[in-house]
Amino acid sequence: MVSRKKLKGKARKAAKAEAAAGVRDVELSLCLSKHLGLFLTGNNGNGCTHGWDPAEYPADHDCNKFIGEVLRVFNQSKNPVAALDEAVSFTEDIFPDVWSDSASLEWIAAAFISLGTYAVMQGDVFPCAAAMGFSESLKQHVACYHVGSQPLIYTAKIDDLLWAEERRTISYLKKRIPCKCLNA
């Protein structure tokens, strides 16, 4: 039998974690939007885009609008899992041409990996996890529906990335960027 004192402590800890998660959610899109703006203007500090070519599509292209809408949905959501689900369903309705083009989806996935890498370099691990989760969901969508190399989308891997610790986050990103920016 668990003591009352222990139960109260666990309840207090859970309430504190929930309150902290709410603060992180507000920062999520603002942080990623700030990083995206720095990349698009070329003012991201070291000039490295971590394997993503922002100039591949013009600024008014649907891919850039897609990224903006995803960040807007992230900003309105209360948790990363809900944000991911809402972003996918919302963008499927608005951008069917992007969802049917594997090259566009891979470019967008690279954009979110790049944004996540930059966020980690700035010390913002939580927004990076959301960017990684969305990027992985796009890559799995391409593998499942466009290439046919996997039978299903593995949501467990996406969930692991959404709730990953800093060490796992950095390890995931190091394997997906061509530069050595995270080796320091």
Side-chain angles (χ1 to χ4, degrees), residues 60-156:
D60 62 341
H61 192 272
D62 280 347
C63 289
N64 286 310
K65 293 176 186 174
F66 184 101
I67 293 171
E69 289 299 319
V70 169
L71 293 177
R72 189 181 63 73
V73 169
F74 278 1
N75 192 33
Q76 294 174 348
S77 183
K78 297 296 180 198
N79 70 41
V81 176
L84 185 69
D85 292 339
E86 290 170 22
V88 168
S89 64
F90 183 73
T91 55
E92 281 179 332
D93 295 338
I94 295 177
F95 302 105
D97 294 338
V98 174
W99 278 100
S100 63
D101 181 22
S102 62
S104 295
L105 291 176
E106 289 173 358
W107 183 81
I108 293 167
F112 277 96
I113 289 292
S114 182
L115 290 171
T117 302
Y118 190 71
V120 164
M121 291 172 58
Q122 299 302 313
D124 300 326
V125 178
F126 179 72
C128 173
M132 286 183 340
F134 191 72
S135 174
E136 184 64 30
S137 70
L138 292 177
K139 288 181 180 185
Q140 288 196 27
H141 178 85
V142 169
C144 187
Y145 297 109
H146 294 277
V147 179
S149 61
Q150 70 185 45
L152 299 169
I153 292 178
Y154 302 120
T155 57

